[in-house]
Amino acid sequence: MTIADREVANSRESRKGKGDQTMQATRTQDAIALVESSTAHNYHPLPVVVAEAEGAWVTDVEGRRYLDFLAAYSAVNFGHRHPDIVAAVKEQLDRVTLTSRAFHHDVLGPFARELADLAGKELVLPMNTGAEAVETGLKVARKWGYEVKGVPVDQATIIVAEGNFHGRTISVVSFSTDPVARTHFGPFTPGFRVVPYGDAAAMAAAIDDTTVAVLIEPVQGEAGVVVPPAGYLAEVRRLCDERQVLFVADEIQSGLGRTGTTFACEHEGVVPDLYLLGKALGGGVVPVSAVVGDSDVLGVIHPGEHGSTFGGNPLACAAGRAVVAMLSTGQWQRAAVELGAHLHARLSGLIGRGVVEVRGRGLWAGVDINPELMSGREACEALLGEGILVKDTHGSTIRFAPPLVVTRDEIDLAVDALGRVLAARGA
Ligand SMILES: *Cc1c(COP(=O)(O)O)cnc(C)c1O
C-alpha cells in the first residue's frame, strides 16, 4: 500500500463516520448554510468545506482528506502552500506589502524583469485578476491599432473564438458565447467578432483593415480543455503577421507549466505579441496577473491611461518572483509532461467504460463521460465521496487538473475512483 493509498483508506474510514459523526456533519452543514445565507449565489460549490491544504491534498472541517484535482482552476499549479512561495510571501509580509504605484518599491523591478525574461519579452504590465489582464490586453490592442496601425478612431475590431472564456467583466462577457454568462448583462461593448475555434479559414475571413487583434486561448479551458487542430496556432500567427494584427494569447489557465511547457503556445512554436497571465502567477497565495509584451506594443500606454491600486504590489511581486524562479528551472514543465502522459494513458483506459472522450495537453484533461450514465455534476459529487475533488465544466465534461506536485500513485487513485463511480452506474 502506498502512502497515497493509505491516505485515501484513512479518509474513506473517516468518511464512514464513527465517533461524533452528527457533530462533524453539522460542522459542514453549518458552514455551507452560513455561506448560502450570507453570499450572493454566483457559484454552486460542491458540498465540501476546506479548512487546510498542503501540496495536492486538502482537509475539510471534519478532518477528511481529499486529493485536489482542480487546483483552483490551475491557480494552485505548484501545490497548496508550496514552501518556496510561502517563504517568499512571509518574508515580504515583514517588509512592505503595499505602496500603490504612486511610489516605487523594490520588488516590482526584479519581478517584471524576471517575468519578461521568462517570456522572452521586454515589458510587463502588472494587474491583479485574470479578467483585468484581459481588459488590459484589449485596451493595449485598441490603442496600438489607432496609434501604430492607423485604424480610424473608434473603429477597431478584435476577433475572438466561440466557446471562449476570458473572465466576467462587462466587456469580456460582451464576446462570450455562453448565454448564462451574458443574459441580462447588456448592453454590450461593441467591436468584437466571434469565429469558430480552431478554424483558421474563418479567422482569415473575419480579419479586415479595422482588425487590431486576435484574442484566443491556446487551449480552451472552461470550454472543456479543447485543444485546437494541429497547425491552428501557427496559422493564426502567420495571418496576424500578414495582416498586421496582434496575436493576444490568453494563457491565464494554460500557461505557467500546466501543459508541459511554460506557455501552451510553445507546442506550435508560436510566440504571441501579448501574453495574458494570471492564476498560477500568484502561486495560489495572492491574485497576480500581467500582460507581457515588447515595447513596440506595450509602449503605447502612458501615465494615467491605465492602472490599478493593487497591481504590482510588493506582496504580489514577491509571490510572482518565487513562481518565475520555480518555472525557470524547467523542472515543473517536465513534471507536467511526464505526469500528464500517465494521466492521459490512464484516462484513455476508461474510454468505452463510461468515458466517451479525453482531451488535453500535459497535466490537464477534459473528460467527457457518457451523459446517459450521469451528469458531470453527479460524477463530481460521487468523486467527492471517493475523496477526489474535481469540477464539471459543461454538461457531462469534467476537468482533471491536479497540482504539478501530484504523484503517479495519486493520479492512479483519482482515475481508479472515476472508474468505480462509472462502474457503479453500470458502465
Ligand atoms: C480564469 C480565466 C480568466 C479570468 O481570470 P480571473 O482571475 O477569474 O478574472 C481569463 N481567461 C482564462 C483563460 C481563464 O481561465
Side-chain angles (χ1 to χ4, degrees), residues 73 128-132 134 165-168 217 219 221-222 250-254 279:
Y73 303 93
N128 310 285
T129 64
E132 286 177 325
V134 176
F165 182 85
H166 298 288
R168 300 297 196 169
E217 298 156 84
V219 175
E222 298 306 303
D250 182 343
E251 293 254 19
I252 290 166
Q253 195 167 157
S254 60
K279 291 202 166 103

Side-chain angles (χ1 to χ4, degrees), residues 161 195-200 203 216 228-237 268:
V195 297
Y197 186 65
D199 183 343
M203 178 75 77
I216 48 173
Y232 174 68
L233 298 175
E235 180 59 11
V236 171
R237 176 69 271 181
E268 291 200 8

Side-chain angles (χ1 to χ4, degrees), residues 145-336:
Y146 301 129
E147 296 178 3
V148 178
K149 181 168 178 174
V151 171
V153 170
D154 291 348
Q155 300 299 307
T157 55
I158 293 173
I159 321 273
V160 298
E162 266 172 33
N164 70 72
F165 182 85
H166 298 288
R168 300 297 196 169
T169 61
I170 294 268
S171 287
V172 169
V173 299
S174 293
F175 52 86
S176 168
T177 54
D178 177 0
V180 178
R182 286 170 55 91
T183 303
H184 293 169
F185 295 119
F188 297 113
T189 306
F192 299 98
R193 288 184 190 149
V194 184
V195 297
Y197 186 65
D199 183 343
M203 178 75 77
I207 294 174
D208 66 19
D209 291 344
T210 67
T211 306
V212 298
V214 162
L215 167 65
I216 48 173
E217 298 156 84
V219 175
Q220 286 191 329
E222 298 306 303
V225 195
V226 177
V227 180
Y232 174 68
L233 298 175
E235 180 59 11
V236 171
R237 176 69 271 181
R238 197 192 63 73
L239 286 169
C240 288
D241 289 339
E242 185 181 87
R243 307 294 297 272
Q244 204 193 356
V245 168
L246 298 177
F247 187 140
V248 183
D250 182 343
E251 293 254 19
I252 290 166
Q253 195 167 157
S254 60
L256 308 181
R258 172 60 54 191
T259 68
T261 47
T262 307
F263 304 105
C265 283
E266 287 173 55
H267 289 279
E268 291 200 8
V270 162
V271 177
D273 297 291
L274 293 177
Y275 289 105
L276 310 182
L277 304 177
K279 291 202 166 103
L281 191 57
V285 180
V286 278
V288 185
S289 70
V291 177
V292 186
D294 281 334
S295 54
D296 57 346
V297 181
L298 275 180
V300 300
I301 296 289
H302 301 107
E305 293 170 353
H306 189 61
S308 157
T309 304
F310 286 90
N313 71 73
L315 202 63
C317 291
R321 282 191 80 183
V323 166
V324 171
M326 288 164 69
L327 284 169
S328 300
T329 69
Q331 162 207 339
W332 295 90
Q333 296 87 329
R334 279 193 297 279

